[in-house]
Amino acid sequence: MAVIQTVGLSKRYKGIWAVDHLDLQVEEGDIYGFIGQNGAGKSTTLKLLCGLARPTQGEARVFGRPISDPVARRRVGALIEQPGLYPDLSGRENLRLYAMLLGLDRPAQQVDSVLEAVGLPAGEKKPVKHYSMGMKQRLGVGLALLGSPDLLLLDEPINGLDPEGIREMRELLLGLNRERSLTILISSHILGELSKIATRYGIIQHGRMVEQITAEELEQKCADYLYLKASQPQKAAALLEREFRLSRWEMRPEGEIRIYQAVDARAVGQALAQAGIAVEALGLHRQDLEGYFLERMEGAGHV
């Protein structure tokens, strides 16, 4: 089931498309890593999805309903940019105030549940202004959890955290996804951390969706591969597919052949030479997550 689905979603500010005909889909149970450089349109997209901004064009649906639908809105919790906290109040007091503003039933019980979920002490009376960055971010997630939503929208929740704070946030999000069956859309540019929790990714560049890919598909694409450039790429590919029984390979737009299965590079070169095909480049490429995303975003910049 698609929890979030957008079709041609667009937002223009003063003639500039911050979000440009974006087609995005998040499935139930996903931890969806939303990736892009600063200014790519991540925050604007999240604002559109939670109703903080109105689209210029296109539409977005949450749980099969328009985002303006009050039933759908009640199922969404969001932390966009920095949490709006009252610095002189404690974490409990902040949560209780927001619970009352939302008109929640049994606010005290909801606050206790949220404090436990985000790992903050229930009896803590220290003002928020004395909280660490990690505690503030966890409290921000706690605000988003008020009302027991089914979907969390989190904008850069690990930005600025130290390694311990990042670990705590990672464990928190994994626990919420597992124990509360929450679907989570999380934007971030910290790729190494996203790779530890995301089940699906969306890459955005200049407001446009570059690619949506599952964690399993990404793992396959990030596998080591043998790359080859030859004078006659189509003929070379046909020869290698026949001679080496290739099943996992691709032809890149620039004519580069990538082979994702174990083959002997020397044997490949010899086979091409015997067929009269000149080899221009041949070698092993070790691909990692960051390299893959940078390659996809740089490629999108030339469209």
Side-chain angles (χ1 to χ4, degrees):
M1 171 188 173
V3 171
I4 300 174
Q5 187 165 29
T6 73
V7 179
L9 187 65
S10 306
K11 181 64 178 179
R12 183 171 57 194
Y13 293 107
K14 297 180 179 180
I16 298 174
W17 292 100
V19 177
D20 189 357
H21 297 83
L22 188 73
D23 295 338
L24 178 151
Q25 184 161 316
V26 179
E27 299 293 331
E28 185 174 15
D30 273 347
I31 298 180
Y32 187 103
F34 197 35
I35 299 166
Q37 298 166 334
N38 291 335
K42 302 187 303 296
S43 295
T44 303
T45 299
L46 267 62
K47 289 176 182 177
L48 291 168
L49 292 175
C50 65
L52 293 178
R54 294 174 62 86
T56 305
Q57 293 180 12
E59 67 171 337
R61 302 183 74 84
V62 179
F63 300 103
R65 297 170 178 261
I67 56 175
S68 58
D69 185 281
V71 174
R73 292 279 286 276
R74 282 196 294 270
R75 300 180 67 183
V76 180
L79 173 59
I80 309 297
E81 298 174 345
Q82 296 297 317
L85 302 173
Y86 292 91
D88 293 319
L89 300 181
S90 68
R92 169 178 285 278
E93 289 168 336
N94 268 277
L95 287 167
R96 186 171 179 82
L97 177 59
Y98 275 91
M100 293 172 64
L101 290 173
L102 291 171
L104 301 180
D105 294 332
R106 297 177 295 175
Q109 183 175 335
Q110 289 241 18
V111 169
D112 287 339
S113 175
V114 164
L115 286 170
E116 181 180 359
V118 300
L120 292 175
E124 177 66 79
K125 296 182 180 180
K126 181 169 60 177
V128 164
K129 63 184 176 184
H130 298 309
Y131 278 19
S132 67
M133 177 65 76
M135 292 176 69
K136 289 179 181 177
Q137 287 297 89
R138 294 206 306 278
L139 182 57
V141 174
L143 293 176
L145 288 173
L146 287 172
S148 302
D150 298 306
L151 168 66
L152 277 184
L153 305 176
L154 304 177
D155 186 21
E156 300 277 6
I158 57 178
N159 193 26
L161 299 184
D162 60 21
E164 178 64 18
I166 291 174
R167 182 190 64 80
E168 291 174 351
M169 182 61 68
R170 179 176 70 240
E171 292 178 353
L172 169 60
L173 297 180
L174 286 170
L176 292 172
N177 176 256
R178 180 178 60 251
E179 296 162 15
R180 296 195 175 201
S181 300
L182 274 174
T183 301
I184 302 172
L185 188 157
I186 171 174
S187 76
S188 181
H189 60 271
I190 305 178
L191 304 181
E193 278 306 312
L194 273 186
S195 69
K196 296 176 182 178
I197 62 174
T199 59
R200 186 186 301 265
Y201 300 89
I203 306 172
I204 186 174
Q205 177 79 330
H206 303 310
R208 295 184 177 184
M209 183 65 74
V210 175
E211 182 178 26
Q212 295 188 95
I213 185 171
T214 67
E216 291 79 11
E217 291 168 338
L218 179 62
E219 184 176 354
Q220 292 179 2
K221 286 180 179 288
C222 284
D224 296 343
Y225 61 84
L226 186 73
Y227 66 89
L228 165 70
K229 285 191 175 181
S231 58
Q232 303 172 68
Q234 297 295 339
K235 184 178 178 181
L239 171 68
L240 295 177
E241 190 173 27
R242 182 178 64 253
E243 293 293 324
F244 294 90
R245 298 181 180 179
L246 299 184
S247 58
R248 294 177 53 228
W249 68 278
E250 67 173 343
M251 177 78 73
R252 304 290 290 181
E254 62 276 15
E256 178 185 309
I257 299 169
R258 294 185 179 182
I259 302 171
Y260 295 97
Q261 62 194 72
V263 292
D264 187 320
R266 182 176 297 179
V268 167
Q270 290 175 345
L272 293 174
Q274 290 171 3
I277 301 173
V279 176
E280 300 170 0
L282 177 65
L284 181 64
H285 184 276
R286 298 189 179 277
Q287 179 74 291
D288 60 13
L289 179 68
E290 183 175 354
Y292 178 80
F293 285 130
L294 288 175
E295 180 182 282
R296 295 296 287 126
M297 286 188 285
E298 288 171 2
H302 298 298
V303 174

